[in-house]
Amino acid sequence: MRSARKWLVLVSVLAVVAAACGDDGDGGGAGGTGGGGIEPPVTFSEIGEGEGALELIAWHGYTEDGTTEGYEDYDWVTPFEAESGCDVNVTYADTSDEMVTLMRQGGGSVYDGVSASGDASNRLIAGGDVGAVDPAVFPEFANVIAPLDPEGGTNNAHYVVDGNVYGTPYMYGPNFLMYNTEVVSPAPTSWADTFEADSPYAGSVTAYDSPIFIADAAMYLMATNPDLGITDPYELDQTQFDAAVDLLKQQAELIGSYWALYTDEIDGFVDGSMNIGTAWPVNFSYAELDAPVDAVEPSEGMTGWADTWMISANAPHPNCMLQWMDWTMQADVQAEVGVFYGAAGSNVNSCAAIGEFLVDAYGEGSDEFVSTLRYSNCGDADFLNSLYLWKTPQVDCGDDRGAVCIDYSEWTQAWTEIRG
Amino acid sequence: MESRLARILIKGGTAFTLAFLYVPLGIVLLYAFSESVGQAWPIDGYTTKWFGIAWRSQDVREALSHSLTVASFATIMALLLGSAAAFAVHRFSFFGRNSVSFMLVLPIALPGIVTAIALNSTINVLGIPFGILTIVIGHATFCIVVVYNNVVARLRRTPTSLVEASMDLGADGWQTFRYVTFPAIRTAIVAGALLAFALSFDEIVVTNFTAGSTLTIPKFIYNNLRLPRNRPVVNVVAIAVLILMLIPVYIAQRLAGSGGETAEARTQAEP
Amino acid sequence: MAVTADHGDAGAGRRASAFLFRHPRAKLSLSLGGPLAWFLVIYIGSLAVLFVTAFWYLDVFTSEIVHGFTLTNFRTLWENDVYRAITLRTVGIAAAVTVTDVILSFPLAYFAARLATPRMRNALLIAVVLPLWANYLVRVFAWKIILTPSGFLNWLVEMTGAGSLQLGRSNWSVWIAFVYLWLPFTLLPIYGAFERIPSSFLEASGDLGARGWTTFRNVVFPLILPGVVAGSIFAFSLTLGDYITPELVGNTQFIGNVIFDNVGVAGNIPFAAAYAMVPVAIMAVYLLLAKRAGAFEAL
C-alpha cells in the first residue's frame, strides 16, 4: 500500500510531463518555422455573418467607445457594434511582449485579433498565430498609403510576408522626442541630450522600457558612428549590437526613470520628474493638457510603428473580426482615431477628414497641422519611409551578411542587463 | 504584568499600525470623490458623479459577476478538499504525511508568477479553453491551502479525547462528526472560507495567465488604472467592495473568534 | 442522559461509518484521495512541466522551443552578473519587507491577544483583515498616488517645513508598498502565537523575578518564534515573486519582471522557467528552515 502510493505519485507526475513533452510547441505557441517560405495557417477570403461578439487586444487609445472621461465624443466602437451586432470587448496591453503572450493563450482561441506593431507582427506570423487575408475582401486597400500597400509597398515587411497579406493596416506614427519647453532650452534638434554622457538633463531623461528600444540607440549610432556600418537598426550583427548596448548602458546613467506604462510618461512630464525623452503621440496629446511640452523630429531620425489589425488563426469570432478590420480601414474612422491619438491613418483619405475636423474645431487654416508632427505628418509617404518602423529582430539579416544578426530573445536579455 | 512603559509602547504601536493600514484607504476614499481625474494633492473639488458612472458601467457589472462566480466555486472546492486533507493529515499517520503537508503549503509559499506560468503552460498543453473554469482551477489551488491551514490549526487545538469519549458513549463515526467534531471546527471552516473567498476575489497574477479574456474585478482594475481618465471609477469600485464586505468579515470574525476562545479555554483547563 | 445513540437503526449510514472505522486506510484514501489527486495532476504536474522546460532551449534560428536537454539557460544565469544582482536585490527587499512587517505586527498582535477585551479583540482582528478586501492593485496605486512628488506624503513633509520627500518610483516606494500589502498576512499568525501563550507562564516568570524585557526574551520570544516564522513565510515569498508592484511603483527590475519579460515576444519560456527555479529554490530552503522552527504548526 505504501509503495503503491509512491508509484501513484510518480506515475501521475510523469503522465503530465509526458503529455507536455509529446506536444510540439507548448505555451510559447512557436509552431511555425522562422525565416522564409511560410505558409499561412489559414487565409480568410470572405466576410460572413457576424457571431455577435469580438475579443480584441489593443494599444490604449485605439478603441475608444465614448467612456473616456472628457473625451465622450470620441467613439468609433459603439457605431460598429450597432452596425455589425458584434459586442466588442477589449483587453489593453502596454508592450508588444504582452500582446504576443495574450494572443497565444489557448492556442490563439481566446482573442480574435490584435492591433500588432511590427515587432509583434512578424513573430506572430512566423509562429502561425495569425491568418492571412485576401486583400480583395477589403475595398479600402485601394486607398492605403503607398509604402504600406501590399502591392509594391516599400515599408510593408511587417505584415506582408512571401506575398501573403496578414492583416489590415491601421495607424502609424513616430517615436518622437518630447521635451519640457520651460526646462529644455534651446529646443533640441537631436537625440544627443538623451544619449550623451554630458547631457545637461541627466536625471530627468526618460526612455521606453522595452528591448525594442535598442533599435533607437542603433539608429543614433547610424548618424554618430558610421564606421559601424549600421544600415538597419533592427538587423545588427554582434559588433553593432554591442555598440548599441554600450550606448544604452551609458544612457542608463542619465535616466530618471523609464516608462512602459504610457501613463507613467504622462505623469512624469506633468510632475516634472521627466523633462526629455522618447514619446508616443498619445502621450504628447495627454501631457500637453497639464504641462508645457512640445515634440520635435531629431536630425538622426526616428523609429516608429505601423500597426496592423491581425486576425487569429483560431479566432472564435472570425467574421466579426473581419468586419472590424473593414470598419477600421474606413477614412472617417481612422480620422477620428488620428485626431484623438495623434497617429496617422494608413488610409490616405483620412488626412483630409482630419483637416476638416480641425477646421470645424479650430477655424480656418488649422488643417495645416495635419501635415505636422503632431498628427504624424499624415499622408506624407516620404515621412513614413523615413521612419524605422518596429519589426522583430531576427537571426537572418535579410541582406548579404547572412544569418549573423541578433535575435530578439537576446535583445531581451541584453535589455535586462541594461536596466540592471 | 507589563510595565507602564511597555503598555504605552504597545498601545502606541497598535495605533500607528492601524493608522498605517487605514490612511491609504482613506485617501482612496477621498479620491473617489475627487472632481478632477488628476492625482495631485490636495484635492480640488468634490463630487459623487463617479459613483453613478461606476454603477452604470457594464464592464463593472460583468467583472463583478465573474468575480463572484469564480470566488464562490473556488471556495466551495477549497472547503471540500481542504477540510478533507486537513482531517487526513491530522488524524492519520501515513507514509508521505510530511510530504503532503509540505506540498499543501506550496501554492502560497511559491511566487505567484511561478504558479501562473506553470498553470498556463499546462492549460495550453491540455487544450482546455480559457475562461471561468481555468480561473477557478487556478484559484482553487491556493484556496485549498488557506482552508487546510485554518482547519488543521483548529484540529490541533481540539483535544482528541473528545472524539474518543464520544465513541465510548456509543456514537458512530458520523454522529461523532456531526455533534462533536464539526462544532469545534465550524468557525475555523468559516474563517478559512472567508479568507479563501477574499484571496480569490483579489487575485491578479495567476488570473492574468489563466483567465483568457474573461473580466474579473482585479482585471477590470488593472485595465482601468492605466487609463488616466478612468481612475476615479476604479477608486469607487474599490471602496464599494470594501464597504460591502464589511458585514461578512464581521460575522466571520465573530464566529472564528468565539470558537477560538472556547478551544483556548479548553487547552488551558487541561493539566 | 438526554442524548442516546439510536442503536436500533442499523441503516446504511451506520454500516458505512462502522466500515470506515474498522478500515482506517479506506477512510484515509477517501478523505485524502480528492485533494491529493487534485494537487498531483494540476499543481505538482504543472510545476514538473515548468521544471523540465527549464532544461529545454529556444532555437533562435527557427524561434521554436527545442525539447533537448541543455544547461545553457542556467549557464547564462550563472555567468551574467545582472541576474545575480537582480536576485540579491529581490531577496534583500523581501527580507527588509519581512522584518518590517514583523516589527509592525508585534504591538498590535500583542495588544489584541493579551491586553484587549474580547470585543476590542474582535474589532482589531476585523480591522486587520478588512484591508485585504480593498484589492491589491488599488492598495498599490494608493501608495503610488501618495508617494508621487505632488502627492500626499510630500505635501505633508513640506507642510512641516522639513524640506521635501520625493520618493516617487524607487526601491523605497516598493519597500513601503510591499510592507503595506502583506502586513495582515504576517500579523495573523503572530497574533495566534501570542494568543497561545498561557498566562501562567508569564506569571511564573514574574514570580521568579524576571522583569519585562527578560521575560520577553527568555519566555515569550521562543514561544512565539514559530508563529513569527510562519507569518514571515507569506511576506517573504509574496515579495519574492511579485512583478506588478515593482512595475507600478519601482524603477528597477525584480525577479518577477525578468521572468515576465521573457515570456512575451521573446518567447523564451525555457529561460523564464530556468530563472523561475531561483525563487523556488530560495523558498524551498526557507520552508525547510521554517519547518525546523516549527512554523508549520503555527500557520
Side-chain angles (χ1 to χ4, degrees):
Chain A
M1 188 66 173
R2 292 185 170 193
S3 42
R5 175 142 302 154
K6 198 153 103 181
W7 284 114
L8 183 65
V9 173
L10 207 56
V11 166
S12 315
V13 172
L14 283 176
V16 181
V17 174
C21 287
D23 206 297
D24 211 46
D26 50 42
T33 50
I38 304 175
E39 271 304 303
V42 58
T43 305
F44 296 94
S45 43
E46 62 170 5
I47 306 180
E49 269 299 303
E51 297 89 352
L54 183 60
E55 299 285 345
L56 295 175
I57 306 166
W59 296 106
H60 293 283
Y62 269 7
T63 51
E64 288 299 299
D65 57 357
T67 58
T68 301
E69 171 67 13
Y71 291 89
E72 288 86 0
D73 290 334
Y74 293 93
D75 181 1
W76 52 88
V77 169
T78 321
F80 169 76
E81 288 177 323
E83 203 178 285
S84 66
C86 300
D87 199 32
V88 177
N89 200 13
V90 185
T91 302
Y92 295 107
D94 287 301
T95 61
S96 294
D97 279 321
E98 278 182 51
M99 289 191 162
V100 172
T101 309
L102 288 168
M103 195 62 173
R104 286 180 172 161
Q105 281 194 1
S109 61
V110 177
Y111 294 96
D112 294 298
V114 59
S115 61
S117 295
D119 49 346
S121 58
N122 285 124
R123 194 63 103 194
L124 291 170
I125 294 172
D129 299 297
V130 293
V133 298
D134 180 1
V137 172
F138 304 105
E140 290 297 328
F141 261 112
N143 297 321
V144 168
I145 192 170
L148 295 175
D149 196 306
E151 305 278 336
T154 47
N155 218 342
N156 63 13
H158 54 273
Y159 82 105
V160 179
V161 177
D162 294 335
N164 295 309
V165 181
Y166 288 92
T168 55
Y170 191 42
M171 312 299 291
Y172 68 87
N175 297 315
F176 49 49
L177 180 64
M178 185 160 79
Y179 64 98
N180 185 320
T181 52
E182 284 174 13
V183 172
V184 178
S185 177
T189 54
S190 151
W191 291 104
D193 281 336
T194 62
F195 282 116
E196 298 300 343
D198 57 357
S199 165
Y201 310 109
S204 63
V205 176
T206 186
Y208 185 48
D209 188 358
S210 165
I212 203 71
F213 191 71
I214 296 177
D216 290 64
M219 177 191 71
Y220 183 71
L221 287 173
M222 278 170 75
T224 57
N225 196 343
D227 291 336
L228 284 170
I230 301 176
T231 49
D232 182 341
Y234 300 95
E235 301 300 342
L236 306 170
D237 61 34
Q238 194 65 54
T239 329
Q240 298 166 341
F241 185 70
D242 291 338
V245 171
D246 286 337
L247 179 63
L248 287 167
K249 286 183 176 166
Q250 177 184 291
Q251 186 197 45
E253 311 282 324
L254 309 171
I255 301 278
S257 52
Y258 292 82
W259 63 272
L261 227 64
Y262 79 117
T263 50
D264 279 337
E265 182 171 54
I266 299 169
D267 292 341
F269 272 88
V270 168
D271 69 28
S273 57
M274 297 176 185
N275 289 315
I276 185 170
T278 184
W280 293 342
V282 69
N283 303 8
F284 178 48
S285 305
Y286 274 120
E288 66 174 347
L289 296 175
D290 297 308
V293 293
D294 200 1
V296 78
E297 176 184 353
S299 57
E300 296 90 356
M302 298 182 289
T303 54
W305 28 269
D307 297 334
T308 315
W309 282 109
M310 300 189 137
I311 179 169
S312 169
N314 296 319
H317 317 99
N319 290 314
C320 275
M321 184 61 202
L322 292 164
Q323 290 182 33
W324 173 256
M325 289 160 85
D326 186 56
W327 173 262
T328 51
M329 283 192 88
Q330 306 302 317
D332 51 350
V333 172
Q334 292 196 356
E336 212 179 331
V337 183
V339 173
F340 177 78
Y341 196 90
S346 46
N347 187 328
V348 294
N349 295 334
S350 65
C351 305
I354 294 178
E356 281 169 25
F357 171 85
L358 290 176
V359 167
D360 282 342
Y362 303 114
E364 272 308 310
S366 42
D367 51 347
E368 288 171 11
F369 286 118
V370 178
S371 47
T372 65
L373 198 58
R374 180 181 288 274
Y375 292 99
S376 304
N377 294 35
C378 193
D380 187 342
D382 291 330
F383 176 76
L384 176 52
N385 273 326
S386 76
L387 295 178
Y388 299 101
L389 298 176
W390 281 354
K391 61 181 188 188
T392 314
Q394 290 170 359
V395 177
D396 184 358
C397 299
D399 55 36
D400 48 5
R401 286 176 293 173
V404 298
C405 284
I406 307 296
D407 175 82
Y408 190 74
S409 60
E410 288 182 59
W411 281 49
T412 307
Q413 292 185 351
W415 189 252
T416 307
E417 274 180 62
I418 293 166
R419 294 277 279 110
Chain B
M1 184 182 10
E2 296 86 3
S3 72
R4 227 19 212 305
L5 175 66
R7 277 186 192 246
I8 293 174
L9 284 176
I10 288 170
K11 287 191 183 165
T14 306
F16 178 78
T17 306
L18 283 175
F20 180 66
L21 279 175
Y22 280 93
V23 165
L25 292 179
I27 291 182
V28 170
L29 183 65
L30 285 176
Y31 274 100
F33 289 98
S34 164
E35 173 70 48
S36 79
V37 298
Q39 33 182 47
W41 182 273
I43 298 177
D44 281 333
Y46 293 88
T47 172
T48 55
K49 69 179 177 189
W50 303 113
F51 286 85
I53 294 177
W55 180 248
R56 285 189 292 272
S57 161
Q58 202 190 344
D59 275 350
V60 172
R61 290 176 186 218
E62 189 186 317
L64 190 62
S65 130
H66 287 154
S67 279
L68 287 172
T69 313
V70 168
S72 308
F73 278 117
T75 306
I76 292 173
M77 301 228 61
L79 279 177
L80 292 171
L81 299 178
S83 325
F87 270 106
V89 169
H90 177 77
R91 283 281 171 73
F92 303 104
S93 183
F94 54 91
F95 171 79
R97 174 190 182 181
N98 280 337
S99 321
V100 171
S101 68
F102 183 82
M103 217 169 61
L104 285 165
V105 180
L106 284 181
I108 297 237
L110 288 185
I113 184 152
V114 176
T115 308
I117 57 179
L119 284 176
N120 181 274
S121 292
T122 307
I123 293 175
N124 270 325
V125 162
L126 296 177
I128 307 174
F130 284 89
I132 300 276
L133 173 67
T134 49
I135 310 179
V136 170
I137 291 175
H139 287 197
T141 8
F142 49 79
C143 288
I144 288 178
V145 173
V146 165
V147 171
Y148 165 81
N149 278 332
N150 271 278
V151 175
V152 130
R154 178 60 57 79
L155 282 173
R156 286 203 183 106
R157 279 156 42 171
T158 311
T160 48
S161 50
L162 288 175
V163 173
E164 287 164 11
S166 166
M167 297 283 196
D168 288 342
L169 288 167
D172 63 26
W174 174 244
Q175 284 173 324
T176 306
F177 179 77
R178 212 170 121 206
Y179 295 118
V180 179
T181 319
F182 187 68
I185 62 164
R186 181 184 56 206
T187 56
I189 287 184
V190 171
L194 200 77
L195 202 54
F197 196 88
L199 277 181
S200 166
F201 208 77
D202 192 37
E203 217 284 328
I204 183 66
V205 176
V206 174
T207 315
N208 261 343
F209 282 86
T210 57
S213 64
T214 314
L215 205 61
T216 61
I217 291 274
K219 286 197 74 177
F220 168 81
I221 293 177
Y222 193 56
N223 286 340
N224 284 284
L225 278 177
R226 297 146 148 209
L227 302 175
R229 315 266 130 192
N230 293 2
R231 279 188 203 145
V233 174
V234 171
N235 290 332
V236 166
V237 169
I239 294 294
V241 168
L242 190 66
I243 293 175
L244 272 172
M245 290 305 151
L246 188 59
I247 299 167
V249 170
Y250 174 74
I251 295 175
Q253 192 48 49
R254 288 296 302 270
L255 290 175
S258 61
E261 280 183 52
T262 345
E264 192 202 310
R266 257 184 253 130
T267 327
Q268 294 211 333
E270 282 179 335
Chain C
M1 275 287 279
V3 176
T4 45
D6 204 347
H7 293 284
D9 179 4
R14 238 188 126 78
R15 280 203 300 268
S17 83
F19 173 80
L20 287 176
F21 186 73
R22 261 181 251 119
H23 298 90
R25 297 224 181 243
K27 202 166 171 181
L28 175 63
S29 316
L30 269 177
S31 67
L32 196 57
L36 204 57
W38 178 274
F39 255 75
L40 282 177
V41 176
I42 295 182
Y43 191 65
I44 304 292
S46 304
L47 288 182
V49 169
L50 194 69
F51 182 69
V52 170
T53 313
F55 293 96
W56 294 342
Y57 67 95
L58 181 72
D59 185 331
V60 296
F61 289 91
T62 61
S63 55
E64 270 182 47
I65 296 173
V66 179
H67 297 201
F69 182 85
T70 173
L71 292 174
T72 19
N73 298 319
F74 294 99
R75 201 173 300 133
T76 313
L77 288 175
W78 182 253
E79 286 170 0
N80 215 318
D81 285 337
V82 71
Y83 300 104
R84 202 168 300 128
I86 293 175
T87 309
L88 284 173
R89 176 188 305 139
T90 314
V91 170
I93 299 259
V97 167
T98 307
V99 169
T100 315
D101 269 336
V102 166
I103 293 176
L104 277 179
S105 301
F106 269 12
L108 203 154
Y110 189 88
F111 184 79
R114 312 215 68 90
L115 297 181
T117 60
R119 182 164 287 185
M120 198 177 297
R121 178 180 311 149
N122 263 332
L124 277 175
L125 289 175
I126 293 175
V128 166
V129 170
L130 195 60
L132 289 179
W133 285 95
N135 190 277
Y136 165 92
L137 288 167
V138 171
R139 288 184 292 152
V140 177
F141 242 85
W143 278 104
K144 195 174 158 82
I145 298 176
I146 293 173
L147 293 169
T148 94
S150 56
F152 183 70
L153 186 65
N154 198 22
W155 173 83
L156 206 64
V157 169
E158 280 177 355
M159 278 236 309
T160 62
S164 80
L165 188 61
Q166 308 212 355
L167 288 177
R169 290 170 61 196
S170 64
N171 282 342
W172 290 105
S173 304
V174 172
W175 169 66
I176 293 177
F178 276 136
V179 164
Y180 183 75
L181 286 169
W182 316 136
L183 185 56
F185 290 106
T186 314
L187 211 151
L188 291 175
I190 295 184
Y191 160 79
F194 273 125
E195 193 199 17
R196 278 193 291 273
I197 303 177
S199 318
S200 49
F201 276 44
L202 299 176
E203 285 164 10
S205 173
D207 289 343
L208 287 168
R211 302 267 296 275
W213 178 246
T214 321
T215 307
F216 182 81
R217 210 180 63 217
N218 294 329
V219 178
V220 174
F221 195 73
L223 285 175
I224 61 165
L225 190 62
V228 170
V229 176
S232 74
I233 293 177
F234 292 117
F236 193 80
S237 86
L238 289 169
T239 308
L240 205 62
D242 196 291
Y243 66 92
I244 295 187
T245 301
E247 196 180 87
L248 291 177
V249 297
N251 64 358
T252 52
Q253 300 182 104
F254 284 59
I255 294 179
N257 300 117
V258 174
I259 296 177
F260 187 74
D261 287 342
N262 275 288
V263 177
V265 176
N268 204 343
I269 315 278
F271 187 73
Y275 200 38
M277 292 299 128
V278 172
V280 169
I282 295 176
M283 279 320 297
V285 171
Y286 198 100
L287 286 173
L288 225 63
L289 293 173
K291 194 154 186 290
R292 289 272 174 79
F296 282 23
E297 281 77 44
L299 275 172

